[in-house]
Amino acid sequence: MINAGMSCQLIHYRHEEHDKFFEVCKNFDAIIVRCNPGQIKADGGDQGKFDDGMRHDGMRAMRKLGVQVWPSPDVMEFMGAKDALCKVANLNIGLPDTMAYYTEADFAAGFKKTMAFQPRVIKQNRGSSGEGIWIIKLKGGNYCSAYGERSCTDDEMLDMMEANDNHAETHSVAEFVEFCVNGRTNKSGTWTSKGDGKYLEGGKAAGGQLVDQRFCPRIVEGELRYNMVVDALVGIIHKKPKEGGISAVSGTGSVYTFYGPEETKFKNLTDNFLKVDLEYIMPSLGLADEPVPLWWTTDFILASPEGTPAEQEKWIVGEFNCSCVGISKCLAAFCKDDKPNACYSDIAVEDLKEAQRYGDLMGCKALSILDMVQNPVSVSSITKVATDNLGLKKQPPNPKYKTALAQIYVRCQPYGGSDKSSNGHRYDSIPFANGMISVGMSCQLIHYTHQEHSAFFNVCRNFDAIIVRCNPGQIKADGGDQGKFDDGMRAMRKLGVQVWPSPDVMEFMGAKDALCKVANLSIGLPDTLAYYTEADFAAGFKKTMAFQPRVIKQNRGSSGEGIWIIKLKAGNYCQSYGERSCTDDEVLEMMEANDNHGETHTVAEFVEFCVNGRTGKSGNWTSKGVGKYLEGGKAAGGQLVDQRFCPRIVEGELRYNMVVDALVGIIHKKPKEGGISAVSGTGSIYTFYGPEEPKFKSLTENFLKRDLEYIMPSLGLAEEPVPLWWTTDFILASPEGTPADQEKWIVGEFNCSCVGISTCLAAFCRDDAPNACYSDISVENLREAQRYGDLMGKKARAILNMATGRGLGARCPGVNRIAFLMEGETTMSAHGRCIGWTDCDLTDTGKMQAFEAGKMLRDECFCFDIVFTSVLRRCIRTAWCAMQECDSFAMPVINSWRLNDQHMGKLEGATWAEAMAGFESARAKCKESSFYNVAPPAVDQSDPRHPLNNRLYKHVPKMALPASESLCATVNRVLPFFHDTISPCVMAGKSVMVCAPGAALAAMCMQLEGLSESDVTSMQMMSPGALLVYEVDPSLNVLNKYVLRK
């Protein structure tokens, strides 16, 4: 464990310290149980209490707390029980005619029937080292030819051998049944066995059971013991019984031969066991939620008749053992009569090296199990496709929401598709997932395989949200059905699971006719048309083409394929729309956007190609595409969009990269000289800008502040959130010479279907980098990608908060909230000047800070019953802006002069440096050790800065208005209002927000937290627009405190 980077402490259980022991155990991630069966009882303890503890403590309770226990009591019980052989009977390693008995009646009837048919092995559940395992034959050899043809009579005689020591006994059927049920009685005859019988005692719940299995005569050739570390075979032991014996139990003269895990003579068994059956063993035993044991063995018996080729041999399980299996290489370290001081140092160097090899492998496997079980949703029912989760953060222990990132690995394509890292994940999946984890949500990386469609969606319903990162066409390329996958995701949406982006969002937003639906927004062109039928296209296109150059866009293509920029060769456009329509023989000059190649065709040929593809009527085309853009009709995505050509496209497009409603970057894509399309690979030039780029300010403001909120409703997606990660391409539609602030940019395309994070491109595999992985991304690029991912996490959490009402601001009985909002940046603070009671306004930055605060409140489901501010406009406007952004308007807003800032006297309007010098001078004069009791130089009553000269305070008693204030005086002014007005509202269960300057907020924090004078002095320095939330009980005792951050 330690070599794998984990800690491992050695502890002992004492039944007298049962409660203390399990209190300690709660603090571990995993507990490896190495208590040999019977030893707890031998020490005076209770194994049942250790295992279960009446469901209050014990190992089962540890599992409920999320602590891994290897092996857990249930694993030891169900895997070690002999009836495990019945539960795996239908696997390759099982025998279908294996039966289990738990009652006397079932045993007597069943055994008599099986015994009459063929030799049997009867196995008790509780014994060890072969005790109570009986190999039995009919002494008379009179087996029936078909199972069930007859049953043995009570007086038929049995030849029996017990596996613990290969001793033989002869008994009647009745005597054997009596011994198995009641032990030695006057009806059981005389037994030389060391055991006591009574194998069904206590019933099934107490482990009373017998397993009845067909006898495999080739057991005399020996058994195979497979030593396993979780799912890894580390060695094979062939155990051959002593001549004339059947059991190869240690101490009976048996011969042991040791083989490596790759031994070729057992290849058929090894492949069947490890590759076919192993994944089904735990589910078959009713242990689907438990990992395969850390260190365990399986004993196999050869069931095939002699002469069977090795590659066709059938080996069956004789026994699983996971209950404190020993490492035989360490046997020199255990004490015995002749070695009472045996210790670790007695183990030979070679043996120790082998033992440590096992131990190191256990450590790696244990770490892997912990990684898997720390995923909040079990995904064991679907195939794990990726080989590792390189770069993924640890899942939070109690995630706020559980999310998954769904991917597709195309098994028939190199590297699993053109967007994969070498471990099978999409190249940019890790920043997405880590972004979710960074805000307290879990995010598990899963893959869709169409053969596991039902299992996949059964897993998906356990998540709160699914991020779909399946590149278009890849599900089909892997042999699946995109429509079936989409319907599965739609079913998730109906169950309340968020899907980003949902199939409807991808369909309606990605479809080219989205441009028609936003035609009347600032970012649209009103004369944008869509065609779904041949007749509409032919008539409409001939009319628009006769009027002006056009862009015709197919719906299905990518990278510019099927997007045509078209002009009339003769240039004979009509003066007004509808004045004429083109004739079929008019000639068109055309350029396709995928590679900027040119073609010349008649109107009729173009219509034919768009509708029917290459035919005898379409002429000769050099396009890489096949046309047929309307194929399948509207329902199948068959459509063409007809948009006015904007000649300034040659100057380039703008791509806006968006995380939900936040712009994170702008890319200017300029076509190669002489080209029109700026698709990657055509020689275009890309220039990158930040989201605040001033030259695009007009477009940015129109898009984000005017149009964004209407885009989803315009597309028929009012119930869906804006996509998590998406782009919009804009084309400049204004004529040359238009001032920048009046330019009109129109949408050329929305894209939300698996948009990539370009800074992660170094992680995707290609011929020159077949092993590309997360580690290949440069530190700088990774930092930028994670910045996007972290923002996605915050936005995703906000979407889930709003969808579920489970944000930090959600109402909770017994928990009241008061949020303190710091005023935004002002026209004075922006220039580093002291404000005090000066009634200045917010800057544009200050307003944005207030809007951001409102977004944070909205995203965390805060809804206030009442708002308090000072009488200063900067505080009032901060509150208004925040409330506007979080859609909270219907609450009273109360303004009070008592929530004003500290009055700075003559220092109001001074620079911070001048103010600090003034405070230092004042402090020196009054000989104060801190600034808490220091007031700046006072203004006289004639000074405009004195409150007596401001109409805001005409109703305030003159004696209460300060000429300057110390922080102490400010606190004494604020607290009466806090006690008399604000506190009663909070104590009454109202959700309260207070928007005020730093000094006033510090005074209230001082009261709530019992802060010192020095703490209050430092708290004044809250940043503009900061949000500090206190959760309190009805008596105003602070339960929790946190800062909401952007």
Side-chain angles (χ1 to χ4, degrees), residues 689-716:
Y689 298 94
E692 308 293 335
E693 177 56 41
K695 68 172 71 175
F696 309 125
K697 186 173 186 289
S698 177
L699 167 60
T700 300
E701 290 191 350
N702 277 335
F703 180 46
L704 299 185
K705 296 180 181 178
R706 293 178 57 183
D707 286 351
L708 186 56
E709 66 178 300
Y710 300 110
I711 288 176
M712 302 306 280
S714 297
L715 299 176

Side-chain angles (χ1 to χ4, degrees), residues 72 288 393 471 610 617 750 820 832:
S72 73
K393 290 182 177 180
N471 224 20
C610 291
K617 299 178 182 178
F750 296 115
F820 292 136

Side-chain angles (χ1 to χ4, degrees), residues 482-502:
Q482 183 71 50
K484 186 176 180 181
F485 177 85
D486 289 346
D487 287 343
M489 287 299 173
R490 288 187 179 99
M492 295 302 102
R493 289 293 291 120
K494 289 180 180 178
L495 291 172
V497 177
Q498 290 287 311
V499 178
W500 303 321
S502 72

Side-chain angles (χ1 to χ4, degrees), residues 191-307:
W191 290 75
T192 57
S193 170
K194 296 173 184 175
D196 299 321
K198 302 183 183 179
Y199 303 138
L200 299 180
E201 190 172 52
K204 183 178 181 180
Q209 60 179 253
L210 282 164
V211 167
D212 179 352
Q213 195 172 43
R214 182 198 320 165
F215 172 66
C216 300
R218 294 185 70 182
I219 193 172
V220 297
E221 299 174 24
E223 300 174 79
L224 292 180
R225 170 159 285 184
Y226 273 42
N227 290 327
M228 303 288 297
V229 174
V230 190
D231 57 357
L233 175 64
V234 295
I236 303 171
I237 306 173
H238 181 256
K239 304 191 295 179
K240 190 176 188 305
K242 181 180 178 182
E243 193 67 35
I246 290 179
S247 171
V249 170
S250 178
T252 61
S254 50
V255 179
Y256 285 26
T257 308
F258 297 85
Y259 297 95
E262 307 294 335
E263 177 57 44
T264 53
K265 67 174 71 175
F266 309 126
K267 185 177 186 301
N268 185 47
L269 166 60
T270 300
D271 285 347
N272 276 332
F273 181 45
L274 299 186
K275 297 178 182 178
V276 181
D277 283 351
L278 185 56
E279 67 177 300
Y280 300 109
I281 288 175
M282 301 307 279
S284 296
L285 299 176
L287 298 166
D289 293 328
E290 293 279 358
V292 177
L294 199 60
W295 176 232
W296 60 298
T297 66
T298 303
D299 290 344
F300 292 101
I301 302 164
L302 184 54
S304 300
E306 288 190 29

Side-chain angles (χ1 to χ4, degrees), residues 239-430:
K239 304 191 295 179
K240 190 176 188 305
K242 181 180 178 182
E243 193 67 35
I246 290 179
S247 171
V249 170
S250 178
T252 61
S254 50
V255 179
Y256 285 26
T257 308
F258 297 85
Y259 297 95
E262 307 294 335
E263 177 57 44
T264 53
K265 67 174 71 175
F266 309 126
K267 185 177 186 301
N268 185 47
L269 166 60
T270 300
D271 285 347
N272 276 332
F273 181 45
L274 299 186
K275 297 178 182 178
V276 181
D277 283 351
L278 185 56
E279 67 177 300
Y280 300 109
I281 288 175
M282 301 307 279
S284 296
L285 299 176
L287 298 166
D289 293 328
E290 293 279 358
V292 177
L294 199 60
W295 176 232
W296 60 298
T297 66
T298 303
D299 290 344
F300 292 101
I301 302 164
L302 184 54
S304 300
E306 288 190 29
T308 304
E311 68 274 7
Q312 297 175 27
E313 286 179 340
K314 181 178 178 66
W315 291 80
I316 62 165
V317 174
E319 184 177 49
F320 296 115
N321 190 356
C322 65
S323 181
C324 222
V325 177
I327 299 180
S328 58
K329 298 293 184 182
C330 297
L331 285 172
F334 87 83
C335 295
K336 40 196 181 292
D337 291 343
D338 60 337
K339 290 191 70 177
N341 299 310
C343 65
Y344 176 84
S345 305
D346 295 325
I347 305 172
V349 173
E350 184 135 350
D351 286 344
L352 191 57
K353 191 182 298 172
E354 183 68 0
Q356 197 53 58
R357 184 174 72 85
Y358 296 168
D360 289 347
L361 182 57
M362 288 179 217
C364 293
K365 295 292 184 179
L367 186 60
S368 176
I369 292 170
L370 284 170
D371 285 343
M372 287 189 288
V373 300
Q374 283 169 357
N375 289 327
V377 173
S378 173
V379 294
S380 59
S381 60
I382 58 176
T383 299
K384 181 184 176 184
V385 172
T387 56
D388 61 61
N389 291 327
L390 180 64
L392 186 67
K393 290 182 177 180
K394 185 178 180 181
Q395 303 291 346
N398 297 297
K400 173 79 174 178
Y401 298 105
K402 300 171 185 176
T403 71
L405 190 147
Q407 308 161 94
I408 177 73
Y409 187 89
V410 185
R411 287 162 285 185
C412 61
Q413 293 182 357
Y415 317 118
S418 60
D419 58 352
K420 297 298 183 298
S421 288
S422 55
N423 61 2
H425 289 310
R426 232 189 93 98
Y427 69 91
D428 55 5
S429 289
I430 297 300

